[in-house]
Amino acid sequence: MTDTYPSAGKTAIVTGGGKELGKTIAHFLLEAGMNVAICGRTENTIKQKQRKWTMA
């Protein structure tokens, strides 16, 4: 996987992670093997995304 995704294992911070574009970017980075921290204006939305991705 590291040949395909040279950033695997690195960490990214995604702002606006609760909205569609930020959510899509964060999901792609997670699929690429990166550690992802998301932030946004609405705490409940961010917590919902966290729970969803943690259970996946």
Side-chain angles (χ1 to χ4, degrees):
M1 183 164 202
T2 56
D3 292 339
T4 305
Y5 299 107
S7 298
K10 294 189 178 181
T11 302
I13 299 172
V14 178
T15 59
K19 300 295 181 182
E20 289 304 313
L21 182 59
K23 178 182 76 170
T24 301
I25 292 169
H27 181 74
F28 174 78
L29 295 173
L30 285 167
E31 290 289 317
M34 294 185 72
N35 302 309
V36 178
I38 59 173
C39 60
R41 292 183 292 167
T42 311
E43 183 178 1
N44 287 336
T45 304
I46 299 300
K47 285 183 177 181
Q48 288 174 358
K49 302 296 185 245
Q50 180 187 21
R51 280 193 295 270
K52 179 181 176 184
W53 289 331
T54 302
M55 297 185 115

